[in-house]
């Protein structure tokens, strides 16, 4: 598809400012975002793409000035991409306010600071002393990003499946410094009661509605809910690290803010690079499901992975699937539509130990006729991708960009970090 759709693609991208050691929209570098930045950008169009190219079209012009004028208030918000939590940090006044995905409110209060008396909010001293969680992301992934002993010390309970997802947590698990508290659907309430953590982090599953009620009403333990996987953008998903870090105090919040800004900066750089192409390869992002016969699990066009495909210069061949939800289609329909795709990102292979072309064709012989296999653009993930996509967003996003347009990058797709090239 020709570059005439580029304007449509850009119109879909809500927030495009870049940063370089300064806050989003702070064009004049005075540590604030105001109309003064609009005036500065109007007068100084030579600030560089990293600072002034707000719509990521690979140029700095009056369009960016107008964009900043319309959006500089938004750039001051502490949460930009995530839609399922709220945050209002006032660390200079000694606290941070957060609201989770179901409306639970917390004031994380620095020791000795004055409680702002926000009605309905639970007040916890920040950093907290103890927590439990039931899955890797966003709690353990944020801890691994920070790689801070004091943070790991606060993690007393983890999910059964997460003992080996973090090297540090695994070491602590072996030394009985942290324990398992069940899985996503089989929470061990007795263990949590013994730990008596300051807060238990739960996800979006229906089972966790029941768990939240039991923990709060029967055990008197506070719960924070995260709907991380309901976010519509990849940056919205990793922005949940800000929510978690707030429970660990202001210095950790600052460190995670930089992690997020760095990821945002990288995303915009990749979008700029993609804006230079004239053609958009067709791409399929899929996970096969074997229920006694292969079927295929496809994600809606608004899923954050499919949005990345669009942002980085690809065209999702299944873009007629609406929303961010998913559906399962039969093998015949999948083969008919996906065989001619330029790029196929074939997920889930880590569960079957598949590493080579022969392994893959033994698992799914019909892939032999796929264009993506013959042109060397069929990719499978490494076993740890689901961990690293939250811990290392910069390399994860660059892998996507390189799979879609290897010709734009030195080394092409020959040295991906979290995917293997099959072909």
């Amino acid at each position: 598809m020709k570059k005439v759709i580029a304007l449509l693609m850009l119109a879909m991208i809500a927030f495009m400012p870049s940063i370089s050691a300064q806050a989003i929209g702070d064009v004049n570098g005075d540590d604030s975002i105001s109309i003064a930045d609009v005036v500065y950008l109007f007068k100084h169009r030579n600030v560089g793409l990293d600072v002034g190219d707000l719509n990521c079209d690979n140029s700095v012009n009056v369009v960016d000035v107008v964009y900043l004028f319309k959006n500089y208030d938004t750039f001051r918000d502490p949460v930009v991409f995530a839609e399922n939590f709220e945050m209002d940090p006032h660390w200079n006044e000694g606290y941070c306010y957060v609201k989770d995905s179901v409306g639970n409110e917390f004031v994380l209060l620095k020791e000795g600071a004055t409680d702002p008396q926000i009605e309905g909010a639970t007040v916890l001293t920040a950093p907290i002393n103890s927590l439990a969680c039931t899955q890797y992301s966003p709690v353990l992934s944020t801890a691994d990003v920070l790689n801070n002993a004091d943070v790991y010390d606060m993690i007393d309970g983890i999910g059964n499946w997460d003992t080996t997802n973090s090297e540090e947590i695994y070491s602590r698990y072996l030394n009985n410094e942290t324990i398992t508290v069940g899985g996503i659907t089989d929470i061990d309430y007795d263990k949590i009661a013994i730990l008596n953590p300051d807060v238990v982090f739960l996800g979006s599953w229906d089972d966790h509605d029941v768990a939240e009620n039991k923990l709060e009403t029967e055990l008197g333990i506070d719960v924070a809910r995260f709907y991380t996987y309901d976010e519509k953008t990849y940056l919205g998903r990793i922005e949940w690290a800000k929510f978690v870090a707030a429970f660990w105090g202001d210095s950790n919040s600052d460190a995670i803010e930089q992690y997020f800004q760095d990821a945002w900066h990288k995303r915009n750089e990749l979008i700029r690079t993609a804006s230079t192409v004239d053609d958009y390869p067709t791409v399929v992002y899929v996970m096969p499901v074997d229920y006694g016969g292969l079927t295929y699990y496809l994600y809606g066009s608004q899923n954050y992975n499919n949005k990345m495909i669009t942002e980085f210069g690809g065209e999702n061949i299944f873009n007629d699937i609406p929303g961010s939800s998913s559906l399962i289609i039969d093998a015949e329909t999948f083969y008919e539509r996906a065989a001619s795709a330029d790029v196929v990102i074939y997920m889930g292979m880590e569960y079957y130990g598949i590493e080579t072309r022969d392994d893959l064709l033994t698992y799914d012989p019909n892939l032999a006729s796929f264009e993506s296999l013959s042109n060397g653009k069929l990719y499978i993930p490494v076993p740890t991708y689901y961990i690293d996509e939250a811990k290392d967003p910069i390399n994860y996003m660059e892998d996507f960009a390189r799979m879609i347009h290897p010709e734009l990058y030195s080394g092409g797709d020959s040295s991906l970090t979290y995917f293997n090239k099959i072909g």
Side-chain angles (χ1 to χ4, degrees):
M1 187 173 292
K2 296 298 182 182
K3 197 174 180 180
V4 292
I5 71 167
L7 291 178
L8 293 176
M9 183 186 81
L10 289 170
M12 293 168 58
I13 302 170
F15 300 101
M16 289 299 157
S18 287
I19 54 89
S20 182
Q22 62 191 107
I24 296 165
D26 181 16
V27 180
N28 63 6
D30 66 354
D31 294 325
S32 67
I33 301 171
S34 68
I35 194 66
D37 294 289
V38 180
V39 174
Y40 187 92
L41 186 58
F42 179 75
K43 292 181 177 180
H44 303 86
R45 237 67 70 67
N46 62 345
V47 293
L49 294 175
D50 282 353
V51 176
D53 181 18
L54 301 184
N55 65 355
C56 292
D57 64 356
N58 221 34
S59 64
V60 180
N61 54 39
V62 72
V63 176
D64 298 293
V65 178
V66 174
Y67 189 85
L68 180 57
F69 175 72
K70 290 183 177 180
N71 294 285
Y72 69 83
D73 279 336
T74 302
F75 301 157
R76 287 190 285 223
D77 290 343
V79 180
V80 181
F81 290 91
E83 298 181 359
N84 292 293
F85 78 91
E86 298 176 19
M87 184 175 187
D88 189 14
H90 292 268
W91 290 119
N92 59 332
E93 300 172 38
Y95 75 95
C96 179
Y97 165 85
V98 294
K99 180 190 288 189
D100 73 2
S101 300
V102 298
N104 295 321
E105 300 173 272
F106 297 88
V107 168
L108 291 316
L109 191 67
K110 293 170 70 171
E111 188 172 356
T114 301
D115 182 357
Q117 300 290 324
I118 297 176
E119 185 177 357
T122 298
V123 178
L124 297 175
T125 300
I128 60 174
N129 292 312
S130 172
L131 68 84
C133 61
T134 57
Q135 68 183 66
Y136 179 76
S137 180
V139 179
L140 301 186
S141 60
T142 305
D144 280 341
V145 169
L146 290 166
N147 194 25
N148 181 324
D150 291 338
V151 166
Y152 287 121
D153 286 344
M154 302 175 208
I155 302 173
D156 290 329
I158 59 174
N160 290 348
W161 288 8
D162 292 323
T163 55
T164 59
N165 287 344
S166 161
E167 289 185 14
E168 179 63 26
I169 290 295
Y170 184 52
S171 173
R172 289 167 180 259
Y173 168 72
L174 293 178
N175 291 327
N176 295 315
E177 296 173 60
T178 188
I179 64 171
T180 55
V181 292
I184 290 173
T185 59
D186 57 344
I187 295 171
D188 192 323
Y189 297 104
D190 291 336
K191 286 186 176 180
I192 292 179
I194 292 171
L195 292 175
N196 192 29
D198 296 311
V199 62
V200 175
F201 289 91
L202 297 176
S204 59
W205 294 271
D206 291 342
D207 290 317
H208 287 192
D209 295 337
V210 176
E212 178 181 7
N213 181 64
K214 184 176 180 67
L215 288 167
E216 291 185 337
T217 61
E218 296 184 27
L219 300 180
I221 297 174
D222 291 311
V223 169
R225 302 288 297 275
F226 51 84
Y227 284 22
T228 317
Y229 291 93
D230 289 355
E231 295 297 344
K232 297 177 182 177
T233 60
Y234 179 65
L235 285 193
R237 184 186 168 197
I238 69 167
E239 195 166 22
W240 271 91
K242 295 181 185 179
F243 179 91
V244 175
F247 288 80
W248 296 331
D250 56 341
S251 62
N252 289 305
S253 286
D254 289 344
I256 286 299
E257 179 62 34
Q258 188 60 55
Y259 147 89
F260 181 77
Q261 295 286 342
D262 290 344
W264 191 343
H265 175 81
K266 183 63 176 183
R267 168 186 174 269
N268 293 344
E269 173 192 310
L270 295 171
I271 291 173
R272 279 192 204 94
T273 301
S275 75
T276 65
V277 302
D278 292 317
D279 293 293
Y280 289 77
T282 51
V283 183
V284 173
Y285 181 89
V286 65
M287 180 178 290
V289 182
D290 192 346
Y291 292 134
L294 281 179
T295 56
Y296 293 85
Y297 192 81
L298 292 163
Y299 300 86
S301 57
Q302 297 303 304
N303 172 269
Y304 61 84
N305 288 297
N306 283 328
K307 281 190 171 182
M308 276 203 296
I309 289 169
T310 301
E311 290 175 347
F312 300 157
E315 181 187 359
N316 172 21
I317 207 166
F318 288 97
N319 60 11
D320 55 325
I321 299 176
S324 58
S325 59
S326 57
L327 59 82
I328 294 178
I329 65 170
D330 62 88
E332 182 178 346
T333 301
F334 174 72
Y335 297 140
E336 179 181 348
R337 296 189 59 181
S340 62
D342 299 308
V343 181
V344 172
I345 304 172
Y346 201 77
M347 306 300 289
M349 296 299 93
E350 68 278 5
Y351 300 117
Y352 303 96
I354 291 173
E355 297 180 353
T356 68
R357 177 191 179 107
D358 289 343
D359 292 340
L360 186 62
L361 290 179
T362 299
Y363 174 78
D364 191 350
N366 287 287
L367 294 177
S369 63
F370 271 44
E371 175 67 23
S372 57
L373 191 63
S374 62
N375 70 16
K377 297 187 72 175
L378 192 151
Y379 308 91
I380 61 175
V382 301
T384 60
Y385 85 91
Y386 66 96
I387 298 170
D388 298 307
E389 65 179 356
K391 189 169 66 173
D392 184 15
I394 287 177
N395 283 312
Y396 187 75
M397 288 187 293
E398 182 162 319
D399 274 5
F400 263 73
R402 285 176 177 268
M403 289 187 288
I404 296 167
H405 281 290
E407 76 281 2
L408 296 178
Y409 302 92
S410 175
D413 60 358
S414 62
S415 57
L416 301 173
T417 306
Y418 300 117
F419 291 85
N420 289 322
K421 177 183 171 71
I422 301 294

